[in-house]
Every structure is written in structure tokens, then in C-alpha cells.
Amino acid sequence: MTFSFPKLLLPLLFLGLLPGPAAMAQKKKPAPTTASPADIERRVADLLAQMTLEEKVGQLNQYSGREVTGPANDRKNTLLTSIRNGQVGSMLNVKGVHDTREIQAEALKSRLKIPLLFSLDVIHGYQTTFPIPLAEAASWDLDAIRLGAHVAAREAAASGIHWTFAPMVDVGRDPRWGRVMEGAGEDTYLSAQIARARVLGFQGEKLGGTDAVMACAKHFAAYGAATAGRDYNAVDLSPQQLWETYLPPFKAAADAGVATFMNSFNTLNGIPATSNAYLQRDILKGQWQYPGFVVSDWGSIKELVTWGYAADKADAAKKAVTAGSDMDMEGDVYSQSLAQLVKDGRVKIDLVDDAVRRILRKKFELGLFDDAYRFSDEKREKQVLNDPQNRAAARQMAQKSLVLLKNENATLPLGNQLRKIALIGPIAKSRRDLDGSWTVNADTARITSLYDGLRQRAGKATELLYAKGCTVSGDSRAGFDQAVATAKNADVIVLAVGETWDMTGEAKSRTDIHLPGVQEELFKALKATGKPVVVVVFGGRPLIFDAIAEQADAILYAWWPGSEGGLALADVLYGDYNPAGKLPITFPRNVGQIPIAYNQQYNTGRPLLKPGENRYRSAYIDAPNTPRYAFGYGLSYTAFTYSDLKISRPQLKAGESVQVSFTLTNTGKVAGEEVAQLYLRDPVASLVRPLRELKDFRKISLKPGESKTVTFTIDKDKLAFYNSTLEWVAEPGKFNLMIGSASDDIRLEGAVELQ
Ligand code: NOJ
């Protein structure tokens, strides 16, 4: 069998935008396992029939193995003994062919020789780091996102990993919540599309290839709705919001065949997700008929006691397994209580059998029973991890993820005629920060900083001056004078500011999301020189930077762009790549505006008609209602016009569809890509609907002067919502449609009527 590229990516390949198959295929692609589902079912049943209760419970335990591969210690001895006794189903945090092989060998000493699953948080790359997931979402480029996940999977699988705890498909609407960096932003439709792309990227079309890993849709469910944006907090959510906003990306992942789900740390309307039978039994395994297994989050079964939902660990085990949590991650709760609970008749053996079956099925599908070392080839590991094509793909992804927020007087792109550039700021030379949080095997030495990228691109004829100016946090202005002196000497200033890599992520919620420290003060001092200032902002979440937003000449939002970020930034700053990223999350003006996601906005009974006329209107007296940067916003070095809206028919019935088309023209001087967005509003309904909701988008590439016709199809499904009795209904009547370049930049408007 030869290396085959995912079909969806083929067009990109022909355009020369992706590394070719010959280059990506270091070797023949190892075939997925060929066992039929019926074979697998038979083998699972045979094995289950041979297992003791203790061995069954063993499959439901997962432990972190950071200490297992080092020198002897107590935990290592205990874990290795448990593995040899068949008391462990999976390990996390053991990686690399050498180490995983060593531990797998212990599992094969157990009575039934059931192989372990090796899992890891491969969130945005394994060795080659891609932009953080939120940044990738800013590309609105599903093929590229799928490729990113595929490259990450290929590297991880070559390194002995079978299973990644990704994608995180939680809709993240609150920038205070540190984990917004891990998802696809605030919009449900975009998140669902990206969830599908990532699952297919990680897993391939069918599980079992040794260039793929099992994916895990997490965190089920509503983790992103944590009260006050505080991580691990309670969630109180209407059923409509749950179904309409938070569940669709999970459904999309399930439909794409995601092998596993992870539940979440939060409660949902009083019941912890880990022990939530409505979520796991009724919806996931019931209504959706999901065949994979559910792993708990780290210690979340044990935490049922801390929440005050279970009396003790045994009670927690009973509640979690009853609610459908199949595997206990690092909780040591199932291991301690489950067998006894079954013996006492408090938990039915059928529940345990069902969980074990789900896990064994995946081990068979991965081919581990045929060869437990399929993912353990040291030669392949070396080859794949050093494949330069992986880095090329990461650079392309980083280019696509950058968002141009401002560009006055065409300050960007930087011209080749510039002789002196002053690169200033605490992140200018940083490597580690570019990778962001959630790196698992990254090597800082491989990261290209912005300084390195610009140095390389600027060439010999351009001097690249540098001053740090200040640190990210802290209040020292001691470096300002030198920074200003350096800037005065240059034609243009590029200022690199932002958050450090560890300021956003898990357990990194913040009440103040301003650019930290004195970085804005540094900006003001530089601006006072009169030189043009281009600001590159790094961060894992929307940040607030008022002076920069108002006074900078140009702003490029870099997110955390990954190991090739410095190169990609230089590509964009110099215009070798025309930026096309669009914000997947709203940037507020201040924290008090949160929740401010674009689709959480309603007309209200007293809408604000004119900014400033706030009397008895739904408004603030100290800030506008509008965000700093809206969902879907992002500039280009060229300009696009939208014209000739055509609606194929004014009315539709159930079962019919309407084609909505328009002409998109590149009116500028350079080639570029535009993400055209379709929004709908149901202006009169049995439940009040948001002002606009994204229903479709297209990313279109146009040469200067070129026009293309873009067509969206509207059917009943696009008009539907969950009504007060949770039925998915499209109510007859008029629907407003809006097509634009951002959620606040609508260029064409029309209407259709559902009869
Ligand atoms: C806790 C996080 O919530 C989850 O996303 C992650 O996969 C696990 N830890 C394992 O590292």
C-alpha cells in the first residue's frame, strides 16, 4: 500500500500549498488493521469470557507514568507490579518508542497479555509544534487544520503513542477562561466543523494506521461555560444552550468516528459531568449510539467526593460507572472499589462488562492484539520526527492563523527598501513563548523566534536592531530609554508584546486580561518617537490593549504560533504571505462586557439604537456595547467587495433548499484570501433568537482584479433551533440573511421565508 493523502487535502496539494505525498511518505504507509467489526466483536467476547472480575476492572484503570521509566522508586515498583498483574488498561504520559516498548513488555507478562494503550495530550503537535488550537481556528481552513492534526498524529504514533487527548471541542466564549486557547473559539458551527477536521486528521478515515492515533473529544460537556470563567467551576446552563451551543461540536466529533470521549471537571446544573447519566448514558451512549469509550478527566471520579456529590470513593466509583464513565484516569477509585461493589451487588457486572468491551474493542481496532509493538519502531520514530515536511506544514499553518487587526496607511507589509528595523519587546527573542502551553515533546532549540525569522528574511542589506524594553510582567521601566534610543535609529519599529506561554491554559483563568506589566507603557514611549509602530501581540486568549488598539500603525495578532512561528511572522510582515486569519472569538474592550460572544447578543426590548444614547436602553454608561474586535474580523493586504446578491427563490418548504450566491471581487493589488461568512437571524420566533448566528463560510482565494461567485445553500436545518420542549424546529416565517467579512461587517442582506 502506498501513502495516500486525505481526499479533502488534495486541492491544496495541487496548488503546491502542502508538502507532497512523496515527501510525507518516508516509508510505505502501514496498513490499518484488516479485521472486520464482526471479527473484532467475536475476539472481544472470547477475551471477556476469560477475564476475572479483577482483570476486567484492571482494564478500566489509567495511570500517569512519568515516574515509571526513570530509576527505581516506590511508585514505579507498584505500577509495574499492577501492570504485570493485569490491573492497568492504559498509561498516560509515557512516550517515545524506547519507554513505551519497555512498559508494554511488562503488560505482555500479564496472564491474558492484554496490551496497554499509551495516551498523551498531543494538543497542537508532538515534536513539531503547530499554532495553538484557537490560533488554528483563526485560519477557518479545515483542510489545513486536518493536516495539522495528521502531522501531530504521525509524529506521536511514530513515538509509541496510541491515543491523544484531543481535540478539545468545548465552545469557549469567555476569555477569562484559560482554556479558550485549546478550542476553536466561541462559535458552535465553526467549532463543529473544526472538531470533525481534527478527528479525521488524528485518526484518518479508519483507526489502525500506524501514522494515526485515537482522538478524544473533550470535555463532555459544557466545561467552557464555567461560571465566571474560573476553571473547574460549576456550570448552570439552560437545556437550550446545552443543546444548541455546547453539544454540536461533540456530535460532530462522534459522527466523524472519534474513538473516545473525555468527561469534564464541571457540574452541569448540579450534577458533576463525570457522574452525569443524562450526558453519558442518555445522550452520548443512548441517543447518539456512541460505540467508543469515555475516560474520566484526571482524578475527576475521585473529585465527586470533593464536590459533595459522593460520600466516599466507593460511592464515587458507583456513581461514575453507573453514569457511563468507562475509564478512571489517575483516580485510583475503580481499582480500589469496583470489584467489591460488584461482589456486594451494588454495581451490576453488566456495567463493568460494557465498559471493558468498549476499551478492548479499541485495542483490537488499533491492531495491538496482533502486534503490541506496532507503534514501536525506533527507525520510523527517528525518520518521522526529523521529517522537514512536518515543519513546513507547521509554518503554513502558522501563516494562516495570524490575524491582521489594524493596518493604517499600509504600514504593512514591510518594504524590502527598509534599511533599519528596530525589533523591540520582551517576546522578540523568546522561543519558548511561541510554542504556547500544552507542549509534550517540543524542543525549544528547534523554535524560530520572531527575531530569528526577521533576521533571516530581512537579508544582509537591512539592519535588525534589538532592545528588550521590559519584561512581560513586572513594573520596571529601566529598559525604556535604551528601547527608545534604538527605535529612534530605525525606519520602523516592530514591537513584540503579549503573554508568556504559561499565562493561558489549564488552571490559568484571569480576571484581568489586559496586556500584562508595562508593555503598553513601552508602546507609548515608542509611539512618541514618531516612527511607525507595528505591534505583534502574542497570547493564548483575547487580550485587551487600548493604547495599542487606538494608536498603533499596525497590529498583527500572533497567538502562540508554534515552533515555526518566527518564520511565518516574517512571511506575513514582509507580505510574502497575505494574512487571511479571522478572529474565532470576540475581543472585548473590558472584562465587564463579558459575556460578549457575538451570538450571545439579543435585540432586547430596549436595544441601543445610537451609541451614546444610553438612557433606559440596554447599554452601559461607562463603555460601548460593541467589542474591540468582533468575531470573524481580520484584515488583508488587499480589499474585497461583495456584490450581486442572488437568492434562488424567496420561499422554501421543508425538504427544499435555497441557493444564495454573490460575487466576491479582489479589488486590491495583491492576491489574497477572504473568509466570506453567512449569518442568519430568525426575527420572530417562539424563543427569542440571537441577532446573528454563523451558518456557513467559504475561504476563497482571488488574484488581484479577480471575481468569483460564491454560493451558500440554506435548508431547513440551517433555520432550526431547539424550542422550549427541546425539539429541533424551524418555525415558518421570515429569516434575515447577512453575508459579510466579519460578524460586524455585513456587506449583503436579504431574506428567505419558510412556509
Ligand atoms: C486534565 C485536563 O483537563 C485534560 O484535558 C487532560 O487531557 C488531562 N489532564 C490529562 O493530562
Side-chain angles (χ1 to χ4, degrees), residues 92 121 165 179 182 218-219 223 262 265 297-298 329 438 506:
L92 73 148
D121 288 281
F165 297 132
R179 298 196 83 168
E182 261 182 85
K218 72 187 188 185
H219 307 82
Y223 183 38
M262 183 188 294
F265 287 126
D297 203 343
W298 182 290
M329 181 197 290
W438 278 128
E506 186 181 343

Short mmCIF file of all heavy atoms in Angstrom, two decimals, residues 92 121 165 179 182 218-219 223 262 265 297-298 329 438 506, ligand 1:
data_model
loop_
_atom_site.label_atom_id
_atom_site.label_comp_id
_atom_site.label_asym_id
_atom_site.label_seq_id
_atom_site.Cartn_x
_atom_site.Cartn_y
_atom_site.Cartn_z
N LEU A 92 -0.83 7.11 30.76
CA LEU A 92 -0.63 8.39 30.09
C LEU A 92 0.72 8.94 30.50
O LEU A 92 1.29 8.52 31.52
CB LEU A 92 -1.75 9.39 30.40
CG LEU A 92 -1.88 10.07 31.75
CD1 LEU A 92 -2.46 11.46 31.56
CD2 LEU A 92 -2.79 9.28 32.65
N ASP A 121 -1.33 14.05 25.88
CA ASP A 121 -2.00 15.26 25.42
C ASP A 121 -1.26 15.86 24.21
O ASP A 121 -0.49 16.81 24.35
CB ASP A 121 -2.04 16.30 26.55
CG ASP A 121 -3.01 15.91 27.64
OD1 ASP A 121 -4.22 16.10 27.45
OD2 ASP A 121 -2.55 15.38 28.68
N PHE A 165 -5.34 12.99 23.79
CA PHE A 165 -6.48 13.62 24.46
C PHE A 165 -6.82 14.92 23.73
O PHE A 165 -6.69 16.03 24.27
CB PHE A 165 -6.16 13.89 25.92
CG PHE A 165 -5.89 12.64 26.72
CD1 PHE A 165 -4.78 12.56 27.54
CD2 PHE A 165 -6.74 11.55 26.65
CE1 PHE A 165 -4.54 11.42 28.28
CE2 PHE A 165 -6.50 10.40 27.38
CZ PHE A 165 -5.39 10.33 28.19
N ARG A 179 -8.62 28.08 29.22
CA ARG A 179 -8.61 27.01 28.23
C ARG A 179 -9.24 27.40 26.90
O ARG A 179 -9.35 26.56 26.01
CB ARG A 179 -9.25 25.76 28.82
CG ARG A 179 -8.45 25.28 30.02
CD ARG A 179 -8.76 23.88 30.41
NE ARG A 179 -8.03 22.91 29.63
CZ ARG A 179 -7.95 21.61 29.95
NH1 ARG A 179 -8.57 21.16 31.02
NH2 ARG A 179 -7.26 20.78 29.20
N GLU A 182 -7.36 26.24 23.86
CA GLU A 182 -7.33 24.85 23.40
C GLU A 182 -8.46 24.48 22.46
O GLU A 182 -8.49 23.37 21.94
CB GLU A 182 -7.46 23.95 24.62
CG GLU A 182 -6.21 23.39 25.14
CD GLU A 182 -6.51 22.48 26.31
OE1 GLU A 182 -6.80 21.31 26.07
OE2 GLU A 182 -6.45 22.96 27.46
N LYS A 218 -13.17 16.13 23.98
CA LYS A 218 -13.25 16.51 25.39
C LYS A 218 -13.66 17.97 25.50
O LYS A 218 -13.51 18.71 24.53
CB LYS A 218 -11.91 16.25 26.09
CG LYS A 218 -10.78 17.22 25.70
CD LYS A 218 -9.47 16.77 26.33
CE LYS A 218 -8.40 17.83 26.11
NZ LYS A 218 -7.08 17.42 26.60
N HIS A 219 -14.20 18.41 26.61
CA HIS A 219 -14.51 17.69 27.85
C HIS A 219 -16.03 17.68 27.93
O HIS A 219 -16.64 18.75 28.01
CB HIS A 219 -13.92 18.40 29.05
CG HIS A 219 -12.45 18.68 28.92
ND1 HIS A 219 -11.92 19.75 28.24
CD2 HIS A 219 -11.37 18.01 29.40
CE1 HIS A 219 -10.59 19.74 28.32
NE2 HIS A 219 -10.22 18.70 29.01
N TYR A 223 -17.88 22.30 29.71
CA TYR A 223 -16.75 22.74 30.53
C TYR A 223 -16.43 24.22 30.27
O TYR A 223 -16.05 24.96 31.17
CB TYR A 223 -15.56 21.85 30.16
CG TYR A 223 -14.27 22.04 30.91
CD1 TYR A 223 -14.23 22.32 32.27
CD2 TYR A 223 -13.06 21.87 30.23
CE1 TYR A 223 -13.01 22.44 32.93
CE2 TYR A 223 -11.84 21.99 30.88
CZ TYR A 223 -11.82 22.28 32.23
OH TYR A 223 -10.63 22.40 32.87
N MET A 262 -13.81 12.29 26.60
CA MET A 262 -13.38 12.52 27.99
C MET A 262 -14.45 13.37 28.64
O MET A 262 -14.96 14.31 28.01
CB MET A 262 -12.04 13.27 28.03
CG MET A 262 -11.50 13.48 29.45
SD MET A 262 -10.03 14.55 29.50
CE MET A 262 -8.83 13.56 28.64
N PHE A 265 -14.56 18.32 34.35
CA PHE A 265 -14.43 18.60 35.77
C PHE A 265 -15.64 19.33 36.37
O PHE A 265 -15.78 19.38 37.57
CB PHE A 265 -13.21 19.50 36.00
CG PHE A 265 -11.87 18.81 35.84
CD1 PHE A 265 -10.91 19.31 34.97
CD2 PHE A 265 -11.55 17.69 36.58
CE1 PHE A 265 -9.67 18.70 34.85
CE2 PHE A 265 -10.31 17.08 36.48
CZ PHE A 265 -9.37 17.58 35.60
N ASP A 297 -11.79 12.71 33.38
CA ASP A 297 -10.64 13.60 33.38
C ASP A 297 -9.80 13.25 34.62
O ASP A 297 -10.21 12.45 35.47
CB ASP A 297 -11.06 15.07 33.34
CG ASP A 297 -9.92 15.95 32.79
OD1 ASP A 297 -8.76 15.49 32.76
OD2 ASP A 297 -10.18 17.10 32.41
N TRP A 298 -8.65 13.83 34.68
CA TRP A 298 -7.66 13.49 35.71
C TRP A 298 -8.27 13.57 37.12
O TRP A 298 -8.56 14.66 37.62
CB TRP A 298 -6.47 14.44 35.57
CG TRP A 298 -5.33 14.21 36.51
CD1 TRP A 298 -5.32 14.43 37.85
CD2 TRP A 298 -4.02 13.74 36.16
NE1 TRP A 298 -4.09 14.14 38.36
CE2 TRP A 298 -3.27 13.72 37.35
CE3 TRP A 298 -3.40 13.36 34.97
CZ2 TRP A 298 -1.92 13.31 37.38
CZ3 TRP A 298 -2.07 12.97 35.00
CH2 TRP A 298 -1.36 12.93 36.19
N MET A 329 -9.18 7.94 35.02
CA MET A 329 -7.84 8.50 34.82
C MET A 329 -7.26 8.95 36.15
O MET A 329 -7.80 9.86 36.79
CB MET A 329 -7.88 9.69 33.85
CG MET A 329 -6.51 10.31 33.57
SD MET A 329 -6.57 11.97 32.84
CE MET A 329 -7.19 11.65 31.22
N TRP A 438 0.71 23.43 26.61
CA TRP A 438 0.44 22.10 26.09
C TRP A 438 1.46 21.69 25.02
O TRP A 438 1.11 21.47 23.86
CB TRP A 438 -0.95 21.96 25.48
CG TRP A 438 -2.05 21.73 26.47
CD1 TRP A 438 -3.19 22.45 26.55
CD2 TRP A 438 -2.15 20.70 27.48
NE1 TRP A 438 -3.99 21.95 27.56
CE2 TRP A 438 -3.37 20.89 28.15
CE3 TRP A 438 -1.30 19.67 27.90
CZ2 TRP A 438 -3.79 20.07 29.20
CZ3 TRP A 438 -1.71 18.86 28.94
CH2 TRP A 438 -2.94 19.06 29.57
N GLU A 506 -4.69 25.50 30.99
CA GLU A 506 -5.45 24.89 32.08
C GLU A 506 -5.09 25.57 33.40
O GLU A 506 -3.92 25.84 33.67
CB GLU A 506 -5.16 23.38 32.17
CG GLU A 506 -6.07 22.73 33.20
CD GLU A 506 -5.83 21.24 33.38
OE1 GLU A 506 -5.20 20.62 32.51
OE2 GLU A 506 -6.29 20.71 34.40
C1 NOJ B 1 -6.53 17.40 32.75
C2 NOJ B 1 -7.08 18.11 31.56
O1 NOJ B 1 -8.32 18.71 31.88
C3 NOJ B 1 -7.29 17.19 30.37
O2 NOJ B 1 -7.68 17.98 29.26
C4 NOJ B 1 -6.06 16.41 30.08
O3 NOJ B 1 -6.24 15.62 28.95
C5 NOJ B 1 -5.72 15.58 31.30
N1 NOJ B 1 -5.47 16.47 32.42
C6 NOJ B 1 -4.51 14.67 31.09
O4 NOJ B 1 -3.36 15.38 31.03
#
